[in-house]
Amino acid sequence: MTFKRKPLPYDLGALHPFVSEEQMDYHYNKHHEAYFKKLNGLVDGKPESEWDLETLVKKSQGAVFNNAAQAWNHAFFWECMIPSGNQKPKGELLKALEKDFGSLDLFKKELLDKAAALFGSGWAWVAKDAQGKLEILPLGNADTPLKYNKTPILTIDVWEHAYYIDYRNERPKFVEKFWEVIHWDFVDKCFLSR
Ligand SMILES: [Fe+2]
């Protein structure tokens, strides 16, 4: 068995003006695809090639982990965005954000500040721990809350390849605009799932 990308949940150009079709084309068709290609090469003929991707992320290390996690992280990231945008968190999720961060505005500020400040390549995650508490985890390279038995509910890819075509070096502008395309129904589904 080989690991395969799922189709994007929207057209390549659908998130414009947040990101252009060219930016998404490179990100999805070049970078995301490359992680799958490398992963399949690394696990070819090994028992790990029969595992599901999430299990592989949780149990692997080194190059297999890096490529499996980047394959999983990007699939999750695509779901975190929606072209129509301008949704808002509501219900139990909104209550939890207010309880754990003080208010929705304070949550937004902390998430965007930490995403902008993360040194080098990585991901700004929002995750739920075993007690149900939400936290923001800025993690380097391919690292993911799955490794710490936490449930990811939202992420921002802050690798330069995620924004450099459209935003050049201006990561803070990219993360500020990300806020407008968050797919809150998906975040809510992840928040309630486990
Ligand atoms: Fe990426």
Side-chain angles (χ1 to χ4, degrees):
M1 190 185 94
T2 54
F3 295 100
K4 284 199 180 90
R5 280 180 310 164
K6 281 190 200 155
L8 264 186
Y10 33 76
D11 292 340
L12 282 173
L15 293 174
H16 181 79
F18 167 54
V19 283
S20 65
E21 183 169 342
E22 184 188 10
Q23 177 71 73
M24 278 303 289
D25 185 30
Y26 270 82
H27 203 177
Y28 176 71
N29 285 320
K30 302 281 196 292
H31 293 281
H32 198 194
E33 173 63 13
Y35 295 123
F36 277 89
K37 201 173 169 196
K38 282 183 199 155
L39 175 62
N40 285 323
L42 288 165
V43 300
D44 187 33
K46 297 180 180 166
E48 295 95 304
S49 66
E50 300 298 323
W51 297 0
D52 69 82
L53 187 57
E54 189 172 321
T55 304
L56 190 56
V57 171
K58 287 177 179 171
K59 294 190 171 178
S60 62
Q61 285 155 3
V64 172
F65 169 76
N66 285 336
N67 287 285
Q70 285 295 80
W72 193 94
N73 294 350
H74 282 92
F76 187 82
F77 178 56
W78 310 139
E79 297 283 349
C80 288
M81 300 178 285
I82 188 167
S84 50
N86 289 318
Q87 293 190 344
K88 292 225 171 5
K90 48 188 191 277
E92 291 303 310
L93 172 61
L94 178 61
K95 277 188 211 164
L97 291 168
E98 289 171 343
K99 179 163 100 33
D100 294 330
F101 298 95
S103 70
L104 183 60
D105 282 347
L106 286 170
F107 165 73
K108 176 182 175 183
K109 182 170 180 357
E110 187 177 333
L111 176 63
L112 302 192
D113 285 353
K114 285 185 170 171
L118 194 154
F119 186 76
S121 299
W123 300 80
W125 296 93
V126 183
K128 186 173 78 166
D129 70 14
Q131 285 71 45
K133 186 171 167 24
L134 296 174
E135 62 186 325
I136 294 164
L137 295 172
L139 299 176
N141 298 317
D143 205 6
T144 154
L146 295 177
K147 270 294 200 216
Y148 310 99
N149 288 320
K150 292 177 178 174
T151 303
I153 70 164
L154 176 65
T155 196
I156 313 176
D157 184 348
V158 293
W159 283 60
E160 275 190 349
H161 71 219
Y163 59 86
Y164 206 79
I165 290 170
D166 292 340
Y167 295 86
R168 298 299 172 187
N169 59 324
E170 299 194 271
R171 191 199 286 175
K173 277 191 188 168
F174 167 72
V175 299
E176 184 74 34
K177 296 286 272 181
F178 171 82
W179 182 262
E180 295 166 19
V181 299
I182 295 176
H183 188 185
W184 284 107
D185 289 343
F186 174 74
V187 182
D188 192 46
K189 195 176 85 180
C190 298
F191 171 69
L192 297 172
S193 67
R194 42 186 164 171

